[in-house]
């Protein structure tokens, strides 16, 4: 079990002090102060789940309950003893009932099934609106009841007010009447619970009455005139009745609460605990803490962990691992490099997680729940117990080695320090071996080379070092696991200004073994830094490559989406066009039938005209009746092969093959798109499609003349000829044409001009100019 000493050494008490600032009530503050880490995985997970659900309740569902209550534990005990509570106690009890009611209402708005642990608090809270309302209607403040607390109290207070008015009226008669010259001041005052007036001492006999008091100087006496003695006696009796009625009301309200005292106590307890849970969630948000992944296997994997007591602007995140590849971690490195902070960080975050608190690190960090966290950190020299630094450390080691077991975390700062280095390092190795034999998880800091060497050969032990700037030797507070570091004490002392003669002599005094070992460590450190730089550059290149790959994928997706939309649009347009053609063809056929029924020459002419339109329409739409023919083939599909694409319902040519994505890039006319392997079949073309342009445009621009001669035709015949000619001209892309109709009587010209003015394909028309045929020719500008 983690002792108070360890909790204080790891500064868990400081975290609790900060957390207490997030609670709303004094009882919750006391609960926070008594908060202890649990030592079972199930309990710890339950506490973290509650914090996580409180976070969701507030920040995802926008529900922020109030927990502003007072400590009513003493009043609850008084109710159990049938004591009568005063107004203040009744109001505080009422606030507990009101808080429980409001909490239930707030939580009831959460989506069903969400945050069940928070909903459980609300479900188990006791509420009594009748008791709450009765108190709020009876108690005005901490010292007074409302007149309406009872009908008897209302009557008594009304009588008191009437009596007061009578007394004041009579006394005002003394003040404003003929007795004013005997008064020291024209005021009405009270002595005890009786009304009096201040009279000059020498005039005392002029106003008959009872003397109740004298001023300190003796110049004034306070007299109760005989005329109001009876009224004062009546008032005194009414005041006594009022106090009796108030006492009766308070007894009645207290008795009412005594009947539900168990429910009040349950709500008080649940509100207090919920207050602490929601405080943990608010604190986590403020320090950007996350929910760790808990385990019972002694595995610690802290990613970008930040010590919560260090200024967020100055703290340097650190990564620490323990319990999976190795059980003991030896941290080396220069002084002030962050070894002790890292040691405390691991212990403090473990304690916080076991107490249901989120921890300041990255998502995915893992922490273990231990039976006990034991530590020996800092110089604990005890003058009172006559213990040296080494003796104090040894006392702690004795305690730790007796208590620690397979489910313990042991944190030792400067193990073996404070005595002869040779004996200290030997003792340190022996302690580590003992802890390993007990399967403990242990982190220790050291400067001993013997321990560094031991970490390389011992199974289950890994070394680590706090990184530093190789030029300035300033710490960078980054933990490097698997790397042994040097203390660099002489170099740091030199950088800090210690005379060169001293540092040079210190280097001379170093043993050859020490120099050799530090040289090996330095060479390894240089190699590591070079490898880190290489990895960093490689990571940058990889990140750039991934970025470019992501952009390429995004562009490909966009292109595929555009192709898909284009295909859908083309298919839709084709369907609409075919529908228009079919509708137009049906209309023409019906008109032909109607014309043939008439049987005269004009009707036969109209029928021939409609038949020509139908032929032109079929010619323009012959794409649907002239599909190419093909046969399916077996075998591997290669670039250049003809294929049938199911989703296009058309043949295409393979342009590119992507085996990794299992996609073909195919071209279908002017359209290029990407399709899946499964959407394609290999084929052999047996009949080629005719040229689309030639089917839709049967004549080239050279085959469609720029002039049409309709001389000698009737207006109807000329109109039919011009209509057919204009269709060809538009398909050939002509912008200007000439219609030769001759001068004659002008009837043909007028009839055609009437037709031209209504034709939507004609932008404008004019008579020919000199050299163009003048009035015998009309020039048309087509749209």
């Amino acid at each position: 079990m983690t002792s108070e000493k360890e909790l204080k050494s790891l500064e868990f008490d400081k975290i609790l002090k900060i957390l207490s600032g997030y609670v709303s009530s004094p009882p919750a503050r006391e609960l926070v102060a008594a908060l202890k880490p649990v030592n079972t995985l199930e309990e710890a997970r339950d506490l973290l789940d509650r914090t996580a659900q409180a976070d969701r309740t507030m920040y995802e569902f926008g529900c922020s309950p109030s927990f502003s209550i007072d400590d009513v534990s003493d009043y609850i005990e008084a109710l159990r003893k049938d004591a009568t509570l005063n107004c203040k106690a009744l109001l505080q009890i009422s606030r507990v009932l009101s808080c429980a009611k409001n909490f239930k209402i707030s939580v009831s708005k959460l989506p069903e099934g969400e945050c069940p642990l928070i909903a459980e608090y609300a479900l188990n809270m006791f509420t009594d609106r009748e008791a709450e309302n009765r108190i709020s209607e009876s108690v005005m403040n901490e010292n007074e009841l409302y007149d309406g607390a009872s009908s008897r109290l209302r009557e008594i207070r009304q009588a008191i007010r009437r009596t007061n008015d009578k007394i004041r009226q009579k006394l005002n008669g003394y003040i404003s009447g003929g007795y004013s010259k005997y008064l020291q001041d024209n005021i009405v005052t009270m002595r005890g619970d009786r009304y009096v007036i201040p009279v000059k001492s020498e005039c005392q006999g002029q106003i008959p009455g009872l003397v109740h008091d004298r001023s300190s100087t003796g110049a004034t006496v306070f007299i109760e005139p005989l005329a109001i003695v009876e009224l004062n006696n009546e008032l005194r009796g009414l005041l006594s009745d009022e106090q009796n009625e108030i006492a009766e009301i308070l007894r009645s309200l207290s008795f009412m609460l005594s009947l539900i005292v168990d429910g009040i106590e349950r709500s008080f307890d649940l509100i207090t605990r919920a207050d602490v849970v929601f405080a943990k969630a608010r604190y986590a948000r403020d320090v950007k803490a996350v929910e760790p992944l808990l385990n019972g296997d002694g595995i610690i994997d802290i990613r970008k962990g930040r010590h919560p007591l260090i200024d967020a602007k100055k703290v340097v995140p650190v990564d620490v691992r323990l319990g999976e590849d190795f059980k003991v971690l030896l941290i080396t490195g220069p002084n002030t490099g962050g070894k002790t902070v890292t040691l405390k960080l691991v212990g403090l975050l473990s304690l916080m997680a076991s107490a249901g608190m989120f921890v300041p690190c990255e998502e995915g960090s893992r922490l273990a729940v231990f039976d006990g966290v034991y530590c020996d950190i800092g110089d604990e020299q005890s003058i009172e117990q006559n213990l040296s630094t080494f003796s104090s450390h040894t006392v702690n080691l004795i305690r730790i080695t007796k208590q620690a077991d397979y489910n313990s975390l042991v944190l030792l700062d400067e193990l073996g320090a404070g005595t002869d280095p040779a004996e200290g390092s030997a003792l340190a190795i022996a302690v580590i071996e003992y802890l390993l034999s007990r399967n403990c998880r242990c982190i220790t800091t050291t400067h001993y080379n013997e321990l560094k060497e031991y970490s390389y050969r011992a199974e289950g032990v890994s070394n680590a070092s706090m990184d530093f700037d190789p030029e300035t030797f300033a710490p960078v507070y980054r933990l490097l696991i698997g790397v042994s570091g040097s203390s660099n004490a002489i170099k740091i002392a030199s950088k800090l200004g210690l005379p060169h003669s001293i540092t040079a002599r210190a280097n001379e005094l170093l043993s050859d073994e020490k120099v050799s070992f530090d040289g090996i460590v330095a060479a390894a450190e240089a190699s590591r830094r070079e490898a880190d730089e290489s990895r960093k550059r490689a990571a940058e290149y990889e990140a750039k490559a991934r970025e470019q790959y992501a952009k390429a994928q995004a562009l490909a997706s966009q292109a595929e989406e555009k192709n898909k939309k284009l295909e859908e649009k083309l298919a839709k347009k084709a369907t609409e066009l075919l529908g228009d053609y079919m509708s137009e063809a049906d209309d023409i056929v019906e008109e032909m039938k109607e014309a043939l029924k008439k049987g005269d020459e004009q009707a036969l002419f109209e029928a021939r005209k409609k038949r020509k339109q139908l032929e032109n329409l079929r010619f323009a739409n012959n794409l649907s009746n002239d599909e190419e023919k093909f046969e399916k083939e077996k075998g591997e599909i290669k670039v250049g092969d003809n294929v049938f694409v199911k989703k296009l319902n058309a043949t295409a040519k393979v342009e590119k093959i992507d085996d990794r994505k299992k996609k073909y890039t195919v071209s279908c006319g002017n359209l290029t798109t990407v399709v899946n392997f499964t959407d394609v079949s290999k084929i052999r073309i047996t009949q080629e499609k005719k040229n689309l342009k030639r089917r839709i445009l049967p004549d080239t621009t050279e085959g469609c003349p720029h002039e049409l001669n309709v001389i000698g035709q009737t207006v109807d015949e000329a109109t039919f000829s011009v209509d057919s000619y204009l269709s060809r001209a538009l398909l050939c892309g002509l912008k200007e044409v000439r219609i030769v109709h001759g001068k004659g009587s002008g009837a043909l010209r007028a009839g055609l001009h009437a037709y031209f003015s209504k034709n939507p394909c004609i932008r404008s028309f004019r008579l020919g100019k000199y050299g163009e045929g003048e009035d015998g020719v009309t020039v048309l500008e087509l749209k």
Side-chain angles (χ1 to χ4, degrees):
M1 190 69 177
T2 307
S3 68
E4 289 291 340
K5 178 180 179 299
E6 267 85 15
L7 294 176
K8 189 171 183 179
S9 294
L10 294 172
E11 302 175 297
F12 184 69
D13 58 322
K14 295 181 180 179
I15 295 296
L16 296 184
K17 187 175 181 181
I18 295 173
L19 180 62
S20 67
Y22 286 84
V23 298
S24 303
S25 63
R29 201 165 292 116
E30 293 179 7
L31 198 60
V32 168
L35 192 62
K36 295 289 187 295
V38 298
N39 54 13
T40 68
L41 183 60
E42 291 74 17
E43 288 179 292
R45 281 179 174 164
D46 178 74
L47 292 175
L48 281 177
D49 286 344
R50 293 177 188 276
T51 304
Q53 291 184 23
D55 179 87
R56 291 190 66 205
T57 298
M58 289 189 292
Y59 301 107
E60 183 176 339
F61 300 116
C63 173
S64 296
S66 171
F67 302 100
S68 297
I69 61 171
D70 300 287
D71 188 352
V72 296
S73 52
D74 290 342
Y75 302 143
I76 289 173
E77 289 304 314
L79 288 173
R80 293 190 186 282
K81 298 175 182 178
D82 294 327
T84 299
L85 303 183
N86 57 25
C87 291
K88 178 181 178 181
L90 290 171
L91 283 177
Q92 291 184 5
I93 292 283
S94 177
R95 274 197 287 271
V96 171
L97 293 173
S98 176
C99 185
K101 175 193 68 181
N102 292 333
F103 185 83
K104 277 180 172 287
I105 293 172
S106 296
V107 174
S108 68
K109 297 177 182 177
L110 295 177
E112 187 176 356
E114 298 289 351
C115 307
L117 295 175
I118 301 302
E120 185 182 1
Y121 284 127
L123 181 65
N124 291 324
M125 282 185 188
F126 171 81
T127 59
D128 190 326
R129 294 199 179 191
E130 183 179 352
E132 181 189 343
N133 292 338
R134 187 175 170 191
I135 292 173
S136 63
E137 291 169 357
S138 300
V139 183
M140 179 184 299
N141 53 47
E142 293 184 353
N143 301 301
E144 191 175 1
L145 296 179
Y146 285 111
D147 291 356
S150 74
S151 57
R152 172 64 178 156
L153 182 62
R154 179 183 290 107
E155 292 173 358
I156 293 172
R157 286 184 174 175
Q158 288 175 348
I160 289 173
R161 284 191 285 271
R162 287 195 298 269
T163 305
N164 276 325
D165 291 343
K166 290 179 182 179
I167 292 172
R168 286 185 173 277
Q169 286 176 5
K170 286 187 175 291
L171 290 178
N172 285 336
Y174 283 91
I175 293 172
S176 59
Y179 292 99
S180 61
K181 59 186 177 181
Y182 305 128
L183 302 181
Q184 195 70 263
D185 292 299
N186 293 329
I187 60 172
V188 174
T189 185
M190 296 192 76
R191 285 296 182 269
D193 54 358
R194 304 183 75 85
Y195 284 97
V196 296
I197 53 177
V199 180
K200 297 175 183 177
S201 295
E202 62 271 18
C203 302
Q204 178 179 345
Q206 302 300 321
I207 299 178
L210 304 176
V211 177
H212 285 277
D213 198 6
R214 291 181 181 274
S215 67
S216 59
T217 61
T220 304
V221 292
F222 296 93
I223 295 177
E224 177 187 3
L226 292 177
I228 65 166
V229 169
E230 287 300 322
L231 288 174
N232 267 334
N233 288 341
E234 181 182 345
L235 178 63
R236 189 170 185 177
L238 289 171
L239 292 175
S240 177
D241 290 344
E242 180 189 30
Q243 293 304 312
N244 291 336
E245 181 61 19
I246 288 174
E248 181 60 32
I249 293 170
L250 294 178
R251 277 194 297 272
S252 175
L253 293 174
S254 299
F255 177 73
M256 173 189 68
L257 295 179
S258 69
L259 299 178
I260 56 173
V261 66
D262 290 338
I264 294 172
E265 184 177 35
R266 186 168 73 250
S267 288
F268 172 67
D269 178 61
L270 289 171
I271 290 169
T272 303
R273 286 196 279 153
D275 191 2
V276 174
V277 171
F278 277 78
K280 290 177 183 178
R282 286 192 290 270
Y283 170 71
R285 283 277 173 163
D286 280 358
V287 299
K288 295 180 175 58
V290 301
E291 182 180 6
L293 304 176
L294 292 184
N295 67 86
D297 304 319
I299 297 173
I300 294 174
D301 183 9
I302 299 173
R303 304 173 185 178
K304 306 296 181 186
R306 310 181 307 278
H307 198 292
L309 297 177
I310 300 178
D311 187 348
K313 297 179 181 178
K314 299 178 181 179
V315 67
V316 179
V318 65
D319 296 339
V320 186
R321 292 184 289 111
L322 181 69
E324 207 161 23
D325 301 327
F326 47 86
K327 296 177 182 176
V328 175
L329 183 65
L330 267 61
I331 304 178
T332 58
N335 290 322
T336 70
K339 298 190 301 295
T340 303
V341 171
T342 300
L343 202 67
K344 287 186 173 183
L345 171 74
V346 175
L348 182 57
L349 296 196
S350 298
L351 295 174
M352 289 174 65
S354 296
M357 299 179 69
F358 287 7
V359 293
C361 57
E362 272 192 356
E363 293 279 359
S365 294
R366 292 184 291 171
L367 289 169
V369 178
F370 296 101
D371 284 342
V373 177
Y374 305 99
C375 66
D376 178 41
I377 298 175
D379 184 359
E380 299 187 2
Q381 181 174 359
S382 173
I383 296 175
E384 293 179 358
Q385 298 182 19
N386 195 27
L387 295 175
S388 67
T389 299
F390 177 75
S391 299
S392 178
H393 285 309
T394 303
V395 170
N396 285 335
L397 284 176
I398 293 171
R399 176 179 58 86
I400 291 171
T401 52
K402 283 182 178 180
Q403 297 177 349
D405 59 16
Y406 70 96
N407 198 25
S408 300
L409 175 63
V410 179
L411 306 170
L412 304 173
D413 192 24
E414 302 295 347
L415 179 59
T419 187
D420 176 73
E423 294 187 15
S425 60
L427 181 61
I429 292 173
V431 169
I432 291 173
E433 288 180 342
Y434 177 78
L435 294 175
L436 273 172
S437 69
R438 303 202 68 175
N439 208 23
C440 296
R441 305 305 188 268
C442 174
I443 302 179
T444 180
T445 65
T446 185
H447 288 284
Y448 291 147
N449 281 342
E450 291 81 0
L451 264 70
K452 299 175 188 178
E453 294 173 2
Y454 169 75
S455 67
Y456 284 107
R457 66 175 185 269
E459 186 177 352
V461 180
S462 178
N463 54 23
S465 67
M466 301 305 300
D467 201 6
F468 60 92
D469 189 312
E471 295 182 1
T472 64
F473 292 96
V476 297
Y477 307 106
R478 184 162 64 101
L479 184 67
L480 305 173
I481 294 179
V483 178
S484 181
S486 299
S487 299
N488 297 312
I490 298 175
K491 292 178 180 178
I492 292 174
S494 178
K495 289 285 184 181
L496 293 175
L498 194 66
H500 176 70
S501 58
I502 297 176
T503 56
R505 177 56 179 159
N507 279 318
E508 292 175 2
L509 294 174
L510 287 175
S511 66
D512 293 339
E513 292 81 2
K514 168 68 174 173
V515 173
S516 175
F517 184 80
D518 284 350
I520 293 171
V521 170
E525 176 65 14
S527 298
R528 182 196 63 79
R529 291 184 184 278
E530 184 177 350
D532 281 350
E533 287 298 320
S534 298
R535 280 195 297 269
K536 184 178 179 181
R537 287 194 296 271
E540 290 175 355
Y541 293 147
E542 182 182 3
K544 289 180 180 179
R546 288 182 181 277
E547 183 180 355
Q548 293 300 322
Y549 178 69
K551 288 181 179 178
Q553 279 191 317
L555 290 173
S557 298
Q558 291 175 8
E560 188 171 353
E561 184 65 24
K562 286 181 179 178
N563 284 338
K564 183 178 179 182
K565 290 181 178 179
L566 180 58
E567 291 163 10
E568 291 174 353
K569 187 174 181 181
L570 288 173
K572 183 179 179 182
K573 288 293 183 183
T575 302
E576 292 175 355
L577 183 60
L578 183 59
D580 292 342
Y581 281 148
M582 294 300 295
S583 178
E584 186 177 351
D586 290 341
D587 292 342
I588 292 173
V589 169
E590 290 300 321
E591 290 174 4
M592 286 176 64
K593 290 179 180 179
E594 292 297 324
L596 290 172
K597 287 178 182 179
K598 295 178 181 179
D600 56 16
E601 183 178 348
Q602 179 64 27
L604 291 174
F605 171 74
E606 290 294 334
R608 286 196 298 271
K609 181 180 175 181
K610 296 298 180 183
R611 183 172 179 274
K612 181 65 176 177
Q613 285 181 301
L614 188 59
E615 288 175 353
N616 290 340
L617 181 62
R618 185 184 66 178
F619 182 76
N621 193 42
N622 63 3
L623 176 62
S624 62
N625 297 317
D626 188 26
E627 297 178 351
E628 65 182 340
K629 297 180 180 179
F630 58 84
E631 294 178 356
K632 290 188 178 181
E633 280 192 332
K634 295 183 179 179
E636 182 183 358
I637 297 176
K638 300 178 181 178
V639 173
D641 285 349
N642 292 312
V643 292
F644 178 75
V645 183
K646 295 177 185 176
K647 73 174 186 177
L648 297 180
N649 194 28
T651 60
K653 185 177 180 181
V654 177
E655 302 291 344
K656 185 179 177 182
I657 301 175
D658 189 338
D659 290 318
R660 187 173 66 84
K661 293 186 178 180
K662 299 188 182 300
K663 290 182 181 291
Y664 294 119
T665 301
V666 299
S667 59
C668 181
N670 293 327
L671 175 67
T672 299
T673 186
V674 178
V675 296
N676 295 323
F677 278 7
T678 54
D679 290 337
V680 170
S681 301
K682 187 176 180 180
I683 61 171
R684 178 172 61 86
I685 302 296
T686 60
Q687 179 180 324
E688 294 289 343
K689 283 186 179 181
K690 293 182 180 179
N691 183 277
L692 181 63
K693 180 177 179 182
R694 290 189 58 83
R695 290 207 313 271
I696 297 178
L697 306 178
D699 294 314
T700 63
T701 54
E702 291 80 4
C704 183
H706 287 72
E707 180 179 286
L708 175 66
N709 191 329
V710 294
I711 294 174
Q713 297 182 13
T714 65
V715 173
D716 288 335
E717 290 174 337
T719 301
F720 175 73
S721 298
V722 171
D723 188 70
S724 180
Y725 167 73
L726 290 180
S727 297
R728 295 173 59 200
L730 287 168
L731 290 172
C732 291
L734 299 182
K735 295 298 182 183
E736 186 177 273
V737 296
R738 298 166 66 245
I739 306 299
V740 180
H741 44 68
K743 296 181 179 179
S745 65
L748 180 57
R749 180 179 65 238
L752 287 175
H753 280 202
Y755 164 73
F756 295 156
S757 63
K758 297 178 182 178
N759 193 315
C761 298
I762 300 173
R763 186 184 302 278
S764 64
F765 61 92
R766 61 178 174 80
L767 290 174
K769 298 178 182 178
Y770 179 76
E772 290 181 331
E774 301 178 352
D775 293 349
V777 173
T778 298
V779 179
L780 308 181
E781 182 185 358
L782 304 183
K783 291 184 179 179

